[in-house]
């Protein structure tokens, strides 16, 4: 079974946005998959929807898991694709189904 670890190593913030300060609008989302001693990491940046700031959280109270949960809620299909890609890659490393070869001249 594959185990995934998620981090948000960096974010981008608007210094001032609609009366709020330090509003996160983008996060770099990293997923590391590990299985049978093998691992693979994928990373992508995601925009965060700012159309509803009613549950705004102050910057000094933010954690990686909070921002990750925003990204996961707003981009579930892409996150699922990333996880599937990671698992497929590891599975092929464990049990290769193809390889690159050079034809003789």
């Amino acid at each position: 079974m594959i185990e995934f670890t998620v981090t948000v190593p960096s974010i981008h913030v608007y210094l001032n946005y609609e009366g709020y300060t330090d509003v996160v609008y983008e996060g770099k989302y990293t997923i590391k998959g590990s299985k049978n001693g093998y691992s693979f990491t994928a990373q992508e940046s995601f925009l965060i929807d700012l159309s509803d700031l009613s549950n705004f959280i102050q910057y000094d109270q933010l954690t990686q898991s909070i921002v990750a949960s925003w990204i996961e809620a707003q981009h579930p299909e892409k996150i699922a694709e990333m996880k599937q890609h990671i698992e497929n890659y590891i599975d092929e490393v464990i049990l290769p189904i193809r390889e690159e070869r050079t034809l003789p001249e």
Side-chain angles (χ1 to χ4, degrees):
M1 173 150 206
I2 192 160
E3 180 180 315
F4 292 106
T5 305
V6 173
T7 58
V8 180
S10 65
I11 57 173
H12 295 173
V13 299
Y14 289 123
L15 299 177
N16 293 294
Y17 184 83
E18 295 189 9
Y20 297 94
T21 58
D22 298 329
V23 177
V24 178
Y25 69 89
E26 184 176 6
K28 195 169 281 187
Y29 186 89
T30 302
I31 305 173
K32 178 181 180 183
S34 300
K35 181 178 183 180
N36 297 340
Y38 296 91
S39 66
F40 184 74
T41 302
Q43 180 173 280
E44 188 156 335
S45 292
F46 288 92
L47 293 176
I48 296 171
D49 181 9
L50 300 178
S51 61
D52 180 10
L53 294 176
S54 62
N55 294 319
F56 179 77
I57 298 174
Q58 296 292 325
Y59 178 80
D60 61 354
Q61 296 174 354
L62 287 176
T63 63
Q64 286 193 28
S65 62
I66 290 171
V67 177
S69 72
W70 295 344
I71 293 169
E72 291 162 359
Q74 294 177 15
H75 304 279
E77 297 87 13
K78 184 62 181 171
I79 300 300
E81 288 175 16
M82 289 174 71
K83 287 181 176 181
Q84 189 61 59
H85 172 73
I86 291 168
E87 187 161 19
N88 291 347
Y89 180 86
I90 292 173
D91 286 345
E92 189 163 332
V93 168
I94 294 170
L95 184 60
I97 60 171
R98 58 186 162 187
E99 66 184 5
E100 181 179 350
R101 296 182 181 178
T102 303
L103 293 170
E105 293 187 30

